[in-house]
Amino acid sequence: MLSGKTVILGVTGSIAAYKMANLASMLVKQHAEVLVVMTKNASLFIAPMTFETLTSRKCAVDTFDRNFNFDVKHVSLAKKADIMLIAPATANVIGKIANGICDDMLTTTFMACQCPKLVAPAMNTNMWQNPILQDNLEKLTRYGVEVIPPDAGRLACGDVGCGKLPSEGLILQYVLKHIAKPHDMQGWKVLVTAGPTQESIDPVRYITNHSSGKMGYAIAKMAKLRGAEVTLVSGPVELQPFVGVETIPVVTADEMYEAVTRICDGFDIVVMCSAVADYTPGSYHQQKMKKDGDDLNLPLIRTKDILQYLGAHKREGQCVVGFSMETENLISHSQEKLMKKNVDMICANTIASGNTGFGVDTNQVTIIMPDRVEELPLCSKDETASLILDTIMENK
């Protein structure tokens, strides 16, 4: 995802510096060129050779290193960078860069960079709470530097509190958010629904479906990577939303209906990926129970049709996209749904294949629009999400 991108990873003198070997490896696996710049104190916690082995690039520590090819090293590094990340960032280095002090390779490179910059603080809780440190972070934010909030937990010193470096996976998400994709959806507001709903039938049991939420979460992620402002209305799933995606958790179909209808008018694109638990008269579940001769004495759960509402209340210029999970007559049933719901696009797929549908990481979607039908290839749900967003943007 980062092919052709250059990431400068600045590492400072914190015990959390050892975690950056994993982050460097993760960035390389994303096909980025990773250039590591360390403070001398950082090299006491982790050896430069570790990063050189992982990145196949020389690790820069000394501003006056004579081993260079007739360029000013901190300037040449800055010119190559698509993004610069300092992680972990100590209070000392944060203070320096916030006040324009450039007395080593890392701080001079940071000052010379004109690319997006990220800082991930890591320190003792008392240092984190110090108003001087907070003032310096506010100053960096005003200068356009994004500060990655630290986690709370047990620190290396044994204290428990805020100041813990976030996971390497989360830090990677911040990098991806800035440079993984062109921000061709900058300025667009996207609303996505994902996951199942749960309808209680007694104090112990509830009715739900097999939706994992993976497709909806993938669409929210890829829209965020493309610069959109994304809100995700999610039923109960075992997934974490991509960094920067605002999430509204819901449980029942009524809660999802209320959440979506309350805010949908403010969005340019609405994509409904959720699978609402439906036991209304005439639903697939009720018909199947009747056909199979089952009599479970289940109450009829009259869920509201969210997609129908979105189609009926679609404002001018708004794009509404629904999903259709079919077991037979995929195209004709989806075309009927497109017209009946008055939406702009239906993404149809089937549960007949083991590579598509609920729970798996791949999908094969057929895009149904009023003027055409387009079958997408079998690919990951992230790639499927990108192709769906491509089609939406082509027709906006």
Side-chain angles (χ1 to χ4, degrees):
M1 195 174 285
L2 295 178
S3 180
K5 303 295 185 180
T6 299
V7 179
I8 295 182
L9 174 58
V11 184
T12 70
S14 163
I15 184 61
Y18 78 92
K19 296 182 179 181
M20 293 304 96
N22 187 36
L23 179 60
S25 178
M26 294 168 74
L27 289 165
V28 170
K29 289 176 182 177
Q30 292 286 335
H31 306 291
E33 180 182 15
V34 182
L35 305 175
V36 179
V37 182
M38 304 176 68
T39 63
K40 290 183 178 179
N41 285 343
S43 65
L44 300 176
F45 291 93
I46 183 169
M49 186 177 293
T50 301
F51 291 112
E52 292 173 349
T53 302
L54 292 170
T55 66
S56 301
R57 298 290 185 274
K58 179 174 172 58
C59 180
V61 179
D62 187 358
T63 310
F64 303 104
D65 187 351
R66 300 304 299 166
N67 183 19
F68 62 87
N69 296 319
F70 302 102
D71 58 5
V72 181
K73 197 63 180 178
H74 64 278
V75 174
S76 62
L77 286 175
K79 287 180 178 179
K80 291 191 66 175
D82 292 290
I83 194 168
M84 181 169 183
L85 162 69
I86 301 181
T90 60
N92 180 53
V93 168
I94 289 170
K96 286 181 180 181
I97 60 178
N99 292 282
I101 297 173
C102 308
D103 62 354
D104 60 14
M105 188 65 181
L106 190 152
T107 52
T108 52
T109 302
F110 186 91
M111 183 64 73
C113 276
Q114 295 184 321
C115 60
K117 301 172 188 176
L118 304 175
V119 170
M123 63 197 69
N124 175 267
T125 300
N126 292 334
M127 297 176 71
W128 168 253
Q129 294 173 343
N130 191 297
I132 299 173
L133 183 279
Q134 293 300 321
D135 283 347
N136 285 332
L137 290 175
E138 289 179 11
K139 186 182 292 186
L140 288 177
T141 301
R142 291 200 306 273
Y143 292 148
V145 178
E146 182 168 10
V147 178
I148 302 174
D151 285 344
R154 188 181 185 279
L155 307 178
C157 61
D159 292 345
V160 176
C162 194
K164 183 182 177 70
L165 188 73
S167 71
E168 299 92 293
L170 182 61
I171 296 174
L172 175 63
Q173 287 188 23
Y174 277 89
V175 174
L176 294 173
K177 182 183 71 169
H178 280 275
I179 64 170
K181 298 283 185 181
H183 285 190
D184 58 346
M185 296 183 73
Q186 188 82 42
W188 293 94
K189 295 185 68 176
V190 179
L191 174 62
V192 183
T193 72
T197 58
Q198 297 176 354
E199 310 297 333
S200 295
I201 58 177
D202 59 36
V204 176
R205 298 173 297 168
Y206 60 80
I207 296 168
T208 189
N209 53 59
H210 294 293
S211 175
S212 65
K214 289 183 177 181
M215 192 66 246
Y217 274 65
I219 290 176
K221 170 186 174 181
M222 301 313 291
K224 189 65 187 179
L225 286 177
R226 293 170 71 158
E229 181 182 337
V230 184
T231 298
L232 177 66
V233 179
S234 176
V237 296
E238 296 181 0
L239 299 171
Q240 291 296 319
F242 192 79
V243 67
V245 173
E246 180 185 354
T247 305
I248 302 174
V250 297
V251 176
T252 68
D254 278 350
E255 289 175 354
M256 182 170 285
Y257 179 89
E258 293 299 326
V260 171
T261 57
R262 186 178 71 252
I263 63 175
C264 64
D265 191 57
F267 290 84
D268 305 293
I269 300 168
V270 183
V271 184
M272 186 173 173
C273 294
S274 52
V276 175
D278 182 10
Y279 272 77
T280 58
S283 71
Y284 167 80
H285 308 87
Q286 289 285 341
Q287 293 294 321
K288 186 176 187 305
M289 286 167 56
K290 183 176 180 180
K291 179 180 178 181
D292 294 344
D294 294 335
D295 184 11
L296 302 181
N297 296 316
L298 294 177
L300 295 180
I301 298 173
R302 300 185 181 278
T303 57
K304 297 174 182 177
D305 194 326
I306 304 173
L307 191 60
Q308 183 80 48
Y309 177 92
L310 292 170
H313 296 82
K314 182 173 58 174
R315 62 172 173 78
E316 185 178 356
Q318 187 179 54
C319 177
V320 177
V321 179
F323 270 68
S324 176
M325 179 70 73
E326 304 292 342
T327 56
E328 56 186 17
N329 300 322
L330 179 73
I331 304 300
S332 60
H333 285 177
S334 299
Q335 288 174 326
E336 290 174 10
K337 187 173 184 178
L338 178 79
M339 301 303 294
K340 181 180 178 181
K341 308 292 186 182
N342 188 38
V343 297
D344 299 282
M345 182 190 302
I346 292 291
C347 299
N349 58 6
T350 177
I351 57 175
S353 168
N355 295 323
T356 63
F358 297 130
V360 296
D361 294 324
T362 54
N363 208 353
Q364 185 168 18
V365 165
T366 299
I367 292 179
I368 313 291
M369 301 180 73
D371 59 345
R372 71 178 192 270
V373 174
E374 179 182 352
E375 184 175 333
L376 301 182
L378 177 67
C379 51
S380 72
K381 288 189 173 177
D382 278 358
E383 291 169 320
T384 300
S386 286
L387 293 171
I388 291 170
L389 292 173
D390 286 344
T391 304
I392 293 172
M393 294 304 291
E394 287 167 6
N395 290 274
K396 282 293 289 178

